[in-house]
Amino acid sequence: MGNSQNEGKKFLDSVHQYFDHAAKFSRLDQGILAQIKACNSVYKVSFPVEVDGKIEVIEGIRVQHSHHKLPSKGGIRYSMQVDEDEVKALATLMTFKCAVVDVPFGGAKGGVKINPRTSSVKMLEKVTRRYAAELIKKNLIGPGIDVPAPDYGTGSREMAWIADTYQAFNYGEISALGCVTGKPVGQGGIRGRAEATGLGIYFGIREALLDTDLLKGLGIEGTTLEGKKIIVQGLGNVGYHAAFFCQKDGAIITGIAEREGGIYNENGIDIQEAFRHRSETGSILDFKDCKNIVNSTDMLEYECDILIPAALENQINEKNAASVKAKIIAEGANGPVTREADDILIKKKVVILPDLYLNAGGVTVSYFEWLKNLSHVRFGRMGKRAEEASYRRLVNAIESSTGKTMTASERAMLTQGSDEIGLVRSGLEDTMINAYHEIRDVMIDKKLPDLRTAAFLTAIEKIGVSYESLGIFP
Ligand code: NAD
């Protein structure tokens, strides 16, 4: 668990060691590599918040890891365990993640020491708005500067408060809504953002399953998700949506591990019903036909085809890695596997789909949202009906040349123009597929041992090209 400074340090060390390992295969100058690795700026702030006559001092932090492209981008985490090293590690990963999926941003991350589950909505709103105001004061937020997004413990509600606070301080700034992503659709958000990280994870797993060379010897049958047994840790935004899309494509969710315990049923758990059960009862436990698991961390060691850790960092570590029985680890969370565990798992021939690739769907769709905010138009608004008219002409031509008439549903399907959700999902799918093959090609070309090293190296080389062409100022 990311529950102490020590855990934060462990996380940052792991990220640095992954970087150093990949950097050994790079052609870049050592000075450039050192610059790519370093965190460019760290801002720590303490501010008072008064709720119901009681004043509390809240600590916040924003780390901008890289300014090689602007704005920088990364989520805001609300947790009592937030510490500087943890946020630095997350910001660092963001830089490489953006490069892997060709999103033209530097990496950043923010954190506020607050427990979102025990704080009132009033308190959360005050803290969020004040944290945003602190960033505004220091010019650390803005559509061209640094653009936060949701992360662990935050969601669209907090992003709407941030956007509103930014607009209040920057009255009349035409692209102000682009100061934050993950907003509700009614407040400049984009359709498809909430589920984007989970959907991206699904696309990544699907692509990897088609890669029979990579999975050779694992004993995985078939190249689709059909019948694959999956255990997911964390039924939050990322874990729920990843499991949902995998289940929709035929996978069997056998276990769900949450903070209060876990549930297991080897014949499968309906993920939507389990989610509803947790929302209604406040706990994942006692779900129908499932066995309760008291210590949910044990479930990381259960038999399954695919393990999706989607809660927090350092979950698979030197203590439990040797006992992991999953054939594939699909990193939904950031940093769920420590460097020591990574070594053990690679020796065991477990295939790891690394966080900096696999959970990049969120930032990809955040990028689409930012583009929407800058262009002030919903994707598909201009072209949808023109496309549909052109498809109708094509269908008419096919009908008259074949003499056959299509059914109403065939016609509707063939003449459907692109709307926002369709375009977002298509852009996300394309991004995840292209990035997979880019990393995989680097892994093969450079004879690298694993996908993580290949993903880091791919990112390092892209960022290096940026630095080389920018030169060193002054
Ligand atoms: P979230 O707050 O929506 O959900 C996290 C879930 O994990 C919660 O249900 C929580 O109860 C559970 N959890 C906490 N501790 C646990 C434990 N010890 N065992 C089991 N479950 C536990 O957060 P999220 O947005 O889904 O983020 C999860 C992870 O994914 C984080 O590492 C985050 O950095 C990463 N991530 C998030 C996004 C995004 O778009 N939200 C994008 C990329 C990566």
Side-chain angles (χ1 to χ4, degrees):
M1 274 290 294
N3 59 358
S4 69
Q5 278 185 0
N6 194 28
E7 290 293 320
K9 184 174 178 312
K10 204 151 112 192
F11 185 14
L12 184 59
D13 286 347
S14 279
V15 173
H16 282 164
Q17 286 165 20
Y18 288 139
F19 175 92
D20 292 340
H21 180 60
K24 283 190 214 137
F25 300 93
S26 169
R27 57 168 186 88
L28 293 166
D29 175 88
Q30 288 303 317
I32 299 264
L33 286 170
Q35 170 58 23
I36 294 174
K37 182 177 169 182
C39 262
N40 291 180
S41 81
V42 178
Y43 179 61
K44 289 201 273 183
V45 61
S46 296
F47 50 83
V49 172
E50 188 191 335
V51 175
D52 300 331
K54 201 171 145 242
I55 297 170
E56 261 187 63
V57 178
I58 305 288
E59 289 172 41
I61 182 167
R62 184 75 186 168
V63 174
Q64 293 175 352
H65 172 262
S66 180
H67 296 142
H68 77 286
K69 285 197 191 292
L70 288 174
S72 46
K73 183 104 193 67
I76 299 176
R77 177 171 284 202
Y78 280 6
S79 152
M80 288 311 286
Q81 279 80 48
V82 159
D83 85 292
E84 183 174 334
D85 280 345
E86 178 195 46
V87 182
K88 275 182 169 172
L90 290 162
T92 309
L93 275 178
M94 280 306 293
T95 295
F96 301 113
K97 197 180 295 188
C98 289
V100 162
V101 288
D102 286 335
V103 165
F105 298 145
K109 205 81 180 191
V112 177
K113 242 186 204 179
I114 183 171
N115 185 338
R117 284 171 298 119
T118 53
S119 306
S120 66
V121 174
K122 199 166 154 190
M123 175 74 173
L124 287 170
E125 178 169 1
K126 280 201 162 191
V127 167
T128 305
R129 288 183 180 276
R130 178 66 190 251
Y131 174 69
E134 295 296 330
L135 299 181
I136 294 163
K137 271 198 247 171
K138 298 287 176 188
N139 212 16
L140 287 171
I141 181 170
I145 299 169
D146 187 1
V147 182
D151 190 67
Y152 185 90
T154 59
S156 58
R157 180 184 62 180
E158 286 74 17
M159 302 307 119
W161 290 331
I162 294 175
D164 187 58
T165 309
Y166 183 85
Q167 281 182 309
F169 280 84
N170 294 277
Y171 189 68
E173 185 180 319
I174 181 100
S175 296
L177 279 175
C179 72
V180 67
T181 58
K183 302 177 291 289
V185 174
Q187 298 297 330
I190 196 165
R191 286 165 187 79
R193 173 61 184 89
E195 67 272 32
T197 308
L199 182 58
I201 291 170
Y202 157 71
F203 286 140
I205 295 175
R206 195 188 65 181
E207 212 51 29
L209 285 172
L210 289 168
D211 192 342
T212 45
D213 274 348
L214 180 82
L215 305 182
K216 213 178 341 187
L218 288 188
I220 295 236
E221 278 170 34
T223 54
T224 67
L225 271 152
E226 188 66 43
K228 299 289 174 302
K229 295 201 165 172
I230 295 185
I231 291 181
V232 61
Q233 183 196 38
L235 197 62
N237 178 299
V238 176
Y240 169 72
H241 288 112
F244 171 82
F245 287 109
C246 289
Q247 179 177 276
K248 208 165 152 215
D249 205 11
I252 302 166
I253 310 299
T254 53
I256 303 172
E258 254 297 339
R259 71 170 79 234
E260 64 274 15
I263 53 172
Y264 186 80
N265 178 347
E266 67 172 348
N267 299 318
I269 301 167
D270 184 298
I271 197 79
Q272 276 174 297
E273 281 187 32
F275 186 82
R276 207 172 303 128
H277 167 80
R278 186 166 188 250
S279 308
E280 283 166 11
T281 65
S283 168
I284 193 77
L285 298 172
D286 301 325
F287 183 60
K288 64 169 186 215
D289 303 329
C290 288
K291 199 168 127 192
N292 282 342
I293 310 294
V294 179
N295 183 2
S296 74
T297 314
D298 291 351
M299 296 175 76
L300 300 172
E301 300 169 24
Y302 282 20
E303 295 272 357
C304 62
D305 294 305
I306 306 168
L307 174 65
I308 310 181
L312 282 170
E313 58 267 16
N314 302 343
Q315 296 297 300
I316 303 170
N317 46 49
E318 71 278 15
K319 292 192 198 109
N320 59 3
S323 314
V324 167
K325 291 174 199 69
K327 295 166 184 152
I328 299 175
I329 297 181
E331 294 188 341
N334 285 309
V337 174
T338 65
R339 175 72 178 136
E340 295 83 4
D342 196 68
D343 280 342
I344 298 169
L345 294 164
I346 288 172
K347 280 197 196 102
K348 277 168 59 113
K349 306 244 179 292
V350 175
V351 166
I352 302 178
L353 305 177
D355 48 8
L356 74 161
Y357 159 65
L358 197 69
N359 70 30
V363 75
T364 302
V365 175
S366 273
Y367 169 47
F368 300 156
E369 180 177 332
W370 180 78
L371 291 174
K372 176 185 182 182
N373 295 149
L374 298 193
S375 56
H376 301 271
V377 64
R378 184 183 72 239
F379 292 115
R381 181 167 176 182
M382 304 284 283
K384 183 168 182 274
R385 285 186 188 262
E387 262 178 43
E388 288 177 351
S390 136
Y391 296 148
R392 269 199 302 277
R393 286 194 292 274
L394 206 61
V395 168
N396 291 346
I398 293 169
E399 283 185 341
S400 64
S401 62
T402 59
K404 289 190 182 143
T405 308
M406 302 211 186
T407 63
S409 67
E410 281 169 344
R411 181 169 263 275
M413 197 247 299
L414 288 169
T415 60
Q416 164 94 51
S418 319
D419 55 9
E420 186 171 82
I421 186 77
L423 288 165
V424 163
R425 290 194 170 167
S426 141
L428 175 59
E429 183 172 10
D430 190 56
T431 302
M432 295 305 294
I433 292 174
N434 288 344
Y436 181 83
H437 291 287
E438 200 174 358
I439 300 167
R440 186 71 172 109
D441 288 350
V442 168
M443 182 176 163
I444 294 167
D445 284 356
K446 305 257 177 179
K447 301 190 174 46
L448 300 175
D450 58 307
L451 282 171
R452 190 189 316 276
T453 310
F456 265 97
L457 184 61
T458 306
I460 290 170
E461 295 294 323
K462 287 184 190 175
I463 300 163
V465 168
S466 230
Y467 274 113
E468 283 175 339
S469 49
L470 288 172
I472 305 290
F473 174 83

